[in-house]
Amino acid sequence: MKILAIDFNSLMNRSFYAIRHLSTKDGLETNALFGFAKTYQKLVAAHQPDVVVAAYDLRAPTFRHKMYDAYKGNRSPMPDELRPQMPLGREFVNLAGGTVIGIEGYEADDVLGTIGNYADNHLDTFCVIATGDRDSLQLVSEKTSVCLATNKGDILFTPDKVREDYGLEPKQLIEVKALMGDSSDNIPGVKGIGEKTALALITKNGSLQNILDNLDSIEATPRIKNLISEHREEAVMSRTLGEINCHVPMEFNPEILAKKERQTDALEEFLRRYELTSVLESFGFSKKEEQLTFAAPTVKPCDVLENPENLCALVQEAGRLLLLPEWEKSEPVKLRIHLDGRKFAVVTEQIAKMLSELLALPLPKITLDAKPLYRFAMKNGIAYSGELDDVKLQAYLLSNSDKSYPIPDLVQTYCPGMENFPEELRDTAALAPLFDAMNEILSEKQMQFLYGEIERPLCEVLASMEEEGFLVDEQGITEFGQMLDNRIETLKSELMELAGQEFNPNSPAHLSEILFNKLGLPTGKKTKTGYSTDVDVLEKLLPYHPIVGKILEYRKLSKLSSTYVTGLKKCIQPDGRVHSTFNQTETRTGRISSSDPNVQNIPVRTELGAEMRKFFVAKEGCTLVDADYSQIELRVLAAISGDKNMIDGFAKGADIHRMTASQVFHIPFDEVPAELRSRSKAINFGIVYGISAFSLSQDIHVTVKEAKKYIEDYLHTYSGVAAYMQQSVEKARELGYVETIFHRPRYLPDILSKKPALRGFSERVAMNMPIQGTAADIIKLAMIRVYRRLRDEKLQSRLILQVHDELLVEAQESEAEQVMAIVKEEMEHAADLAVKLSVDIHQGKDWYQAKG
C-alpha cells in the first residue's frame, strides 16, 4: 500500500505566492485553490497512491508554543486573500477522494511524521510526503520518502539523496537545526552558528548531545565552543522544537481510508462554482458553456429588513432570537438578527429600545458573547427574560486551549458544510447551526450540566460584578504611593552607597556588573545578556552581601508602586470604583481571571502588599462580607480519591496539616511542632500540584532525598491519594485527557511524549487538574447560588468580587447578618461531596478588615 501524505498549508502557501490575480467573476480569490488543485492532481498522477491524506495546522497553540512563547512569533499573519481559500482547499481534498487531518496541539508536520512512522512499522506500506518544507527531510527512511517542491521542480528525497546532499543521515538534520536554528519558525539555535558550521559539527560529532558532552575536546575554534557553551540551553530547546513528533495520538487506518472514493457530482459542482475550468477538464469533466450555466452562484441573495417595525413579531415567528450585536466602546451600534433561511433584520436606530423589546421575549436567545449584552441591559435597566445561550462559551468548553473563538473558525470546525452567505451576514447566519452542532457534542460528552448550570448562568453573574465594580479609596492609594516612592528613593541611595558608585538598579546588565564583577559575588545561571539577576539567584546570594537584600526590597517596592498603585489609579472610573473585566474563557482549569485591573493579583503574601487591600472599601451604609473556602482543594482531593484517612480527618474537624504531620512523621498529634506542621502543609498542597521531590526540597529547605522520603511516607499514609494519582495518569494515557467531576476536560497531547520533560509535565497536570478544576467549578456554582439568593430575596447587597476560593459581597449594613448566613449556606452546599465544604466568613469596612 502506498500513502501520499500532503503538507496542506505548505502547498497552499506556495500556490498562493506562485499564482497571482486569479479570481471568480464575483471577485473571490482562487489562486491558491487553483494551484493546489493542480499540484494535487500532479502528485496523484506521479505517485499513484492507494490513500491520500492532507495534514493541516489548526489555530490552537501546539506543545511547541507552550514550551517557547516566541515559537513562530515572527511570522506575518495569513494574507486576507488566502484565508478564505484554506477551507475550500480542504473541501477539494475531501471531494477528490482524499482525507483531511488536523490534530489539536500538534502541527501538520507531526501528523505527517506519524503517518510516515506508520509506514515504517507496517509491512508492504510505503509513504511519500509532499511538502515545500525541508524540515520534513528528517522523516526520510527506507519506506518514507519526501517529495520536496522547489523552484526548480519536485525533488524526491530518499535516504541516499539526503546523504548525497547533506553528508548526514536524515535524523541528523534535527541536530543541525538545533545548532543553526530556524528563522522562519523563530527557533533560536546557537547565535552565530550558520548552516555550514552546523553541518560540519554534526558530521564530525554525530549529535548535539555528543558535542555538549565533549565540548572541551571537539574539533572547533574557541569562538564556536564559547558560543555553544553560552547558548547551551537554547540549543537543547531548539532540538526539541525542531524534532517532528512521530507519535501523535490519532486514529489512522489506511485500509479504511483506501475505500474512500471521489465524490464525482459534488466535485464537478465545486469546480464549476469556483470556475476552475482547466482543473475541471483535467478531471474529465466537460467545460462546455451550457454546462457552466447550471452552476449555482457563489452567494445567493438575502432578504435584509432594515429597522422593521414588526421585528419582535418576526422573531417570535422564527421561534428563537439569533442576535449578533456590533459594539463600539461598550455601546451597541448595530444589531444583526437571523430570522430564518436567508431572511435577516438589521437594526441601526433606537437600539436600546429594540434590545429592551427583544430581550424581554420569552423564547430561546443565542449570541456569540453574552456578557456585554447582559451588562448593557443592567446598565440601562433593561429587563430580560431567561438566559442567553452563548456559542463562545460552548466553544471554550469543547476546546479550552484556544486563545479566541471567532465564528469563521468555529464554522470550519463544527459545521463546515454550511451554506454560503454574504460576508456581512455570515456570522449571524452561523449562530443557530453552531449552537445546535456544539450542543449535540456537549450532550455526547456529558457536558450539558457544565454548560447549562455553570458557565451559561455564570456569564450573567460576571456581568453584574463588572457593572457593580469595587469602590476604592483614591486618596489613600495616593498617600500609600508617596510613602512607597520615598522608601524607594531611600533604598536607591543605600544601594549606591553599598556599591560605591552610581548605577541603574532597574538594569539587569548594570546589576550584573556590580554584583559579579565589582563585588565578586558567586555567579549563577548565564543568559544571553550576562549572568542572571532574577529573584532565585538573588535569594541564594543573600548571605554574601547586604546589597542583595536591599535590591530585593527595592524591586518589591518598585513593583508595588508601578503595578499596583499607579496601575490601579489608572483604572478608577468617574464613580470612584474599579470595574474589572472577568474573563470566563481564558484558563484551561476553568478558573476565572480578571484584568483592568487584575484584582486577583493584589499581593497578600507580604505585610506591605496586603496593605493594598485597605484601599478597597465599602460604600457609605455598607460593609464588605468576605467568605473563603477552607482548604477546598484538599477537601476535593479527599473526595475524589476516596482516601479514608483524609476523609475521616476532615469529618472530625481535625487540623489536617497537623494530622498529616502526626501520621507521616510518626509523632503524637498533640506534640507536632510548628516546623513539621509547616512542612506537612507544604506537602499537602504540593501533592495537589503534583510537586516533585526537588521542588519540595526547595520549598521546605531539606535535601532532595529527605523530600522524596516525605512524599513516599505521605503516599503510604494516604494510600487512596496514591492510587488516585496513578489512576489519573493511566486514564490520561488511555483517553488523552482528564476531567473534573463535572466533566470539564483538559486535553494532554504530550502525555505519551518520548520527551521526559513534556511527559512529566502532562502527568503532573493529569494529577492536579481534576482537583483544581473541580474546585473552580464549585466556586462558580457558589457564585451563581449567592447571586440568585440575593436577587430572589430582593436584597440591596451585591456580589462584587471572586478571587480564587474567596467571594466578596458589598452588603447593606442592615442586611449584613442575613447576607453572611446566605453566603455561608450557599457556598457550603454548592456541591455534595464525601467531605463537607467549610467556609470562613468575616465582615469589615474594607477588604483588609473583612479578611478577618
Side-chain angles (χ1 to χ4, degrees):
M1 175 175 288
K2 180 181 277 189
I3 303 167
L4 173 62
I6 295 173
D7 187 342
F8 176 79
N9 287 60
S10 172
L11 296 188
M12 282 288 286
N13 270 285
R14 287 184 66 84
S15 298
F16 177 78
Y17 290 106
I19 302 168
R20 306 301 292 174
H21 309 304
L22 185 64
S23 63
T24 65
K25 291 191 290 288
D26 296 317
L28 177 69
E29 292 283 341
T30 56
N31 57 333
L33 177 62
F34 171 79
F36 176 79
K38 298 291 282 186
T39 300
Y40 181 96
Q41 287 182 298
K42 181 180 70 173
L43 289 168
V44 169
H47 300 288
Q48 295 294 306
D50 301 292
V51 174
V52 180
V53 175
Y56 74 101
D57 296 315
L58 294 173
R59 287 171 60 91
T62 69
F63 67 91
R64 296 180 181 90
H65 295 93
K66 298 169 194 172
M67 178 186 301
Y68 182 50
D69 287 343
Y71 180 64
K72 293 192 176 180
N74 57 353
R75 289 206 175 178
S76 301
M78 185 180 292
D80 290 339
E81 299 87 352
L82 174 57
R83 189 177 299 281
Q85 296 185 66
M86 299 301 275
L88 298 181
R90 291 192 289 274
E91 185 179 353
F92 166 79
V93 172
N94 278 317
L95 296 176
T99 299
V100 180
I101 299 178
I103 304 294
E104 184 174 323
Y106 297 92
E107 295 179 66
D109 283 351
D110 302 316
V111 174
L112 297 172
T114 301
I115 295 171
N117 184 60
Y118 178 95
D120 291 343
N121 290 284
H122 286 77
L123 289 173
D124 301 322
T125 304
F126 300 88
C127 179
V128 176
I129 294 173
T131 180
D133 189 349
R134 288 181 180 269
D135 288 349
S136 292
L137 296 183
Q138 63 182 267
L139 301 174
V140 170
S141 69
E142 295 303 323
K143 298 179 72 181
T144 298
S145 55
V146 168
C147 181
L148 186 70
T150 73
N151 293 333
K152 297 179 181 179
D154 291 351
I155 303 173
L156 190 68
F157 277 86
T158 62
D160 285 343
K161 176 64 175 171
V162 173
R163 295 181 194 114
E164 178 187 334
D165 281 20
Y166 293 96
L168 297 171
E169 294 298 317
K171 291 291 184 190
Q172 288 181 297
L173 296 177
I174 306 168
E175 317 294 335
V176 172
K177 179 174 273 197
L179 289 169
M180 65 178 280
D182 184 340
S183 59
S184 67
D185 288 343
N186 206 29
I187 295 176
V190 176
K191 189 176 181 181
I193 292 183
E195 183 178 17
K196 183 177 178 181
T197 304
L199 281 167
L201 286 167
I202 298 303
T203 301
K204 292 175 184 175
N205 300 283
S207 70
L208 172 65
Q209 195 59 54
N210 284 343
I211 292 171
L212 298 178
D213 290 344
N214 304 282
L215 191 54
D216 293 336
S217 59
I218 66 169
E219 187 180 330
T221 65
R223 173 182 166 274
I224 294 298
K225 290 182 181 181
N226 285 336
L227 286 174
I228 295 172
S229 176
E230 289 177 10
H231 300 285
R232 182 188 189 100
E233 291 181 8
E234 289 97 326
V236 172
M237 179 185 69
S238 296
R239 192 196 181 288
T240 301
L241 292 172
E243 182 175 13
I244 293 173
N245 185 333
C246 296
H247 301 279
V248 173
M250 67 184 204
E251 292 184 12
F252 181 69
N253 188 332
E255 300 290 342
I256 295 175
L257 298 184
K259 298 175 183 177
K260 187 171 182 179
E261 297 181 354
R262 178 189 301 173
Q263 300 174 50
T264 304
D265 292 345
L267 177 62
E268 181 180 5
E269 193 278 329
F270 177 90
L271 296 174
R272 293 192 189 284
R273 188 193 321 152
Y274 296 109
E275 302 170 18
L276 304 178
T277 307
S278 63
V279 182
L280 188 80
E281 188 177 17
S282 63
F283 269 105
F285 301 121
S286 169
K287 63 170 184 176
K288 294 178 183 177
E289 276 300 316
E290 59 267 23
Q291 284 187 292
L292 289 176
T293 60
F294 292 111
T298 302
V299 179
K300 297 178 184 177
C302 291
D303 184 8
V304 181
L305 308 176
E306 300 281 348
N307 299 304
E309 294 181 2
N310 62 335
L311 179 56
C312 285
L314 292 170
V315 170
Q316 284 179 306
E317 185 179 332
R320 55 182 176 181
L321 173 62
L322 304 170
L323 172 67
L324 202 60
E326 187 176 313
W327 302 90
E328 284 184 12
K329 297 181 180 178
S330 301
E331 293 291 322
V333 293
K334 182 182 288 187
L335 305 178
R336 290 189 175 91
I337 295 124
H338 185 200
L339 296 169
D340 57 58
R342 304 187 72 80
K343 191 172 183 178
F344 296 81
V346 175
V347 178
T348 55
E349 300 171 0
Q350 295 184 301
I351 289 177
K353 178 178 180 294
M354 187 53 66
L355 264 179
S356 179
E357 294 175 5
L358 290 172
L359 293 177
L361 293 174
L363 44 71
K365 304 172 183 70
I366 303 172
T367 189
L368 171 67
D369 188 0
K371 185 150 63 76
L373 270 170
Y374 277 124
R375 190 166 174 187
F376 180 79
M378 292 169 181
K379 178 181 177 182
N380 292 278
I382 295 173
Y384 45 90
S385 169
E387 295 177 36
L388 294 167
D389 276 303
D390 187 330
V391 296
K392 180 180 177 182
L393 289 178
Q394 289 180 307
Y396 165 66
L397 291 178
L398 293 175
S399 184
N400 59 23
S401 61
D402 291 356
K403 292 184 177 178
S404 61
Y405 302 91
I407 285 183
D409 289 1
L410 299 181
V411 168
Q412 183 179 310
T413 302
Y414 297 105
C415 43
M418 197 188 141
E419 187 178 6
N420 287 332
F421 285 87
E423 186 175 350
E424 70 275 11
L425 300 172
R426 197 173 297 149
D427 287 1
T428 317
L431 287 173
L434 276 175
F435 175 80
D436 293 339
M438 288 192 285
N439 199 47
E440 186 174 341
I441 298 172
L442 289 168
S443 182
E444 289 171 359
K445 293 178 177 288
Q446 297 181 286
M447 295 169 68
Q448 282 286 23
F449 181 88
L450 184 64
Y451 170 71
E453 302 300 324
I454 298 182
E455 296 298 345
R456 182 177 62 185
L458 180 70
C459 187
E460 179 183 353
V461 179
L462 296 180
S464 173
M465 287 164 52
E466 289 182 1
E467 185 59 26
E468 290 296 330
F470 203 150
L471 185 65
V472 292
D473 175 5
E474 186 172 4
Q475 181 61 34
I477 295 172
T478 300
E479 293 170 1
F480 183 68
Q482 291 168 348
M483 179 274 291
L484 286 177
D485 291 342
N486 291 336
R487 289 182 62 173
I488 289 167
E489 284 304 310
T490 301
L491 275 170
K492 195 171 181 179
S493 299
E494 292 172 354
L495 288 173
M496 304 306 124
E497 187 176 339
L498 287 167
Q501 68 176 71
E502 293 283 325
F503 73 98
N504 180 3
N506 298 313
S507 165
H510 286 198
L511 203 52
S512 179
E513 173 67 25
I514 294 294
L515 295 178
F516 305 123
N517 293 341
K518 181 167 185 182
L519 299 179
L521 302 186
T523 55
K525 57 187 176 184
K526 198 168 187 181
T527 67
K528 290 183 179 179
T529 56
Y531 288 105
S532 171
T533 59
D534 65 22
V535 66
D536 292 338
V537 171
L538 292 180
E539 285 178 347
K540 291 174 183 174
L541 295 177
L542 278 169
Y544 292 94
H545 199 285
I547 196 173
V548 178
K550 299 285 186 184
I551 292 167
L552 287 169
E553 181 71 7
Y554 175 87
R555 282 186 178 175
K556 181 177 67 180
L557 297 186
S558 296
K559 182 175 179 63
L560 200 56
S561 175
S562 62
T563 304
Y564 300 113
V565 174
T566 305
L568 185 61
K569 286 178 67 176
K570 288 179 182 177
C571 295
I572 300 174
Q573 299 299 309
D575 61 0
R577 303 172 80 92
V578 292
H579 296 265
S580 288
T581 297
F582 294 99
N583 308 305
Q584 197 174 351
T585 60
E586 286 199 353
T587 70
R588 295 180 189 173
T589 60
R591 283 198 178 275
I592 301 161
S593 64
S594 70
S595 54
D596 304 318
N598 182 357
V599 286
Q600 297 185 332
N601 229 17
I602 300 295
V604 294
R605 293 190 177 182
T606 63
E607 186 178 343
L608 199 57
E611 289 276 311
M612 284 296 298
R613 292 196 172 196
K614 291 183 178 178
F615 308 117
F616 289 81
V617 299
K619 66 183 178 184
E620 189 69 30
C622 288
T623 184
L624 295 178
V625 171
D626 184 291
D628 203 342
Y629 276 119
S630 173
Q631 302 168 340
I632 187 172
E633 290 185 348
L634 287 179
R635 292 172 190 270
V636 169
L637 173 61
I640 287 180
S641 68
D643 186 275
K644 188 176 184 305
N645 284 343
M646 196 174 284
I647 291 173
D648 287 347
F650 279 119
K652 294 172 183 174
D655 178 337
I656 197 70
H657 302 311
R658 184 178 293 276
M659 186 184 84
T660 297
S662 173
Q663 295 179 344
V664 171
F665 300 114
H666 310 293
I667 298 171
F669 182 86
D670 294 333
E671 297 177 18
V672 172
E675 181 187 357
L676 286 187
R677 183 189 181 280
S678 178
R679 286 186 183 180
S680 293
K681 184 176 181 179
I683 299 171
N684 270 328
F685 287 116
I687 290 292
V688 171
Y689 289 88
I691 199 166
S692 66
F694 175 78
S695 296
L696 181 62
S697 71
Q698 298 290 300
D699 289 348
I700 62 177
H701 309 295
V702 297
T703 66
V704 175
K705 185 178 180 181
E706 287 175 304
K708 185 179 179 184
K709 181 69 165 56
Y710 290 162
I711 293 174
E712 289 172 351
D713 288 347
Y714 177 96
L715 295 176
H716 177 74
T717 300
Y718 297 116
S719 57
V721 172
Y724 154 75
M725 293 168 72
Q726 182 180 346
Q727 290 163 7
S728 195
V729 172
E730 289 173 355
K731 185 177 179 181
R733 288 176 183 147
E734 177 188 350
L735 302 176
Y737 67 91
V738 290
E739 61 183 13
T740 69
I741 64 174
F742 300 102
H743 302 293
R744 183 186 302 275
R746 171 78 182 268
Y747 295 95
L748 301 170
D750 298 319
I751 193 70
L752 298 175
S753 173
K754 291 187 175 180
K755 301 286 189 300
L758 293 176
R759 187 177 64 252
F761 173 77
S762 293
E763 288 173 351
R764 289 192 295 277
V765 172
M767 295 179 220
N768 69 54
M769 186 275 170
I771 302 162
Q772 293 181 55
T774 297
D777 289 341
I778 290 172
I779 192 74
K780 287 180 174 180
L781 282 167
M783 294 168 70
I784 295 162
R785 293 172 67 128
V786 168
Y787 172 82
R788 287 176 172 173
R789 279 285 299 276
L790 297 177
R791 179 196 64 193
D792 294 347
E793 297 186 20
K794 296 182 170 45
L795 300 179
Q796 296 301 306
S797 304
R798 294 289 182 268
L799 178 65
I800 60 170
L801 186 62
Q802 179 266 338
V803 179
H804 306 310
D805 306 326
E806 173 186 2
L807 296 186
L808 269 114
V809 175
E810 188 173 47
Q812 292 286 325
E813 289 179 347
S814 60
E815 299 173 351
E817 293 303 318
Q818 185 181 357
V819 167
M820 290 180 76
I822 288 173
V823 172
K824 186 173 178 64
E825 179 184 346
E826 296 302 340
M827 288 181 72
E828 291 186 341
H829 293 89
D832 184 17
L833 303 178
V835 174
K836 185 180 183 296
L837 297 175
S838 178
V839 170
D840 297 323
I841 191 162
H842 305 277
Q843 64 168 302
K845 292 300 290 182
D846 60 54
W847 192 3
Y848 186 89
Q849 270 186 7
K851 282 296 290 180

